[in-house]
Amino acid sequence: MSEALIAVQRVTKQVADSSGTLTILHEISFELRPAESVAIVGASGSGKSTLLAILAGLDVPSSGTVVVAGTDLFRLDEDARAALRSRTMGFVFQSFQLLGNLTALENVMLPLELLGQRDARAAATAMLQRVGLGERLGHYPKLLSGGEQQRVALARAFVVRPAVLLADEPTGSLDFATGEKVMALMFELNREAGTTLVLVTHDRAIAARCQRQLSLEAGRLVGDVASATA
């Protein structure tokens, strides 16, 4: 069996509120293998997005460790975690998170330019063509539909060929038919790239398309099962 790409060990997240200490995550442990697809499911408030943010090093646990590609995220300072994210991770968000003052092409070029890649324009153009937006290179986000904006976001995520793709409710802002098309494209790109996919969703049908489902309930990991239909 291949070595874990991500190892989460006894991760706990607590915050102070008016009544004392609130535990958002309680001693979460699991491992993810290269090219594995995993859905994190649970009711609103179960800790799904907090866990995803900790996997990305965007939030810091109260205790526990997250090791990504052999590196303990929380032994790094914030700048070093950001550098690791840029090299190894891609992100897709419910709200697209495109920069409104940049064209579709410029949005997809940006992560490549930050990595210092010389062929950023050619690579970004090819990726936008792959997601069916070859005729929209010069369009700004406000001129694109929601589905088109999420396809730009997919292109931006995959253009750096990340080891890990973190997706937080990627169809949450889309109608059903558009969401189905975007998800089909995301799974296609993921298979082509051999990326480890971590998908937060409340949609059990989407979760079932992943190889595994991790179920959270009130901040606790209560299930880790293989999907029957993946």
Side-chain angles (χ1 to χ4, degrees), residues 103-113 117 119-131 133-134 137 152 155-156 158-160:
T103 65
L105 179 60
E106 290 166 343
N107 266 283
V108 179
M109 287 173 61
L110 183 59
L112 294 171
E113 292 176 327
Q117 295 194 21
D119 61 346
R121 179 173 293 273
T125 298
M127 184 56 73
L128 283 165
Q129 290 171 339
R130 171 64 186 84
V131 301
L133 293 176
L137 302 181
V152 173
R156 180 182 59 189
F158 279 104
V159 75
V160 297

Side-chain angles (χ1 to χ4, degrees), residues 116-216:
Q117 295 194 21
R118 295 181 180 178
D119 61 346
R121 179 173 293 273
T125 298
M127 184 56 73
L128 283 165
Q129 290 171 339
R130 171 64 186 84
V131 301
L133 293 176
E135 303 301 316
R136 298 285 193 271
L137 302 181
H139 286 59
Y140 290 91
K142 66 181 180 181
L143 300 177
L144 300 174
S145 68
E148 288 172 333
Q149 289 186 64
Q150 196 61 300
R151 280 190 279 160
V152 173
L154 284 173
R156 180 182 59 189
F158 279 104
V159 75
V160 297
R161 302 192 66 81
V164 182
L165 177 68
L166 303 174
D168 193 357
E169 298 283 7
T171 62
S173 297
L174 305 175
D175 63 72
F176 178 79
T178 302
E180 284 287 292
K181 293 176 182 177
V182 166
M183 290 308 302
L185 178 61
M186 189 179 78
F187 280 107
E188 283 177 22
L189 293 170
N190 196 66
R191 284 192 296 270
E192 290 172 8
T195 301
T196 296
L197 171 65
V198 185
L199 168 66
V200 164
T201 183
H202 67 278
D203 188 322
R204 293 285 178 170
I206 291 175
R209 298 174 69 173
C210 295
Q211 294 166 324
R212 282 168 64 195
Q213 296 182 47
L214 304 178
S215 298
L216 295 184

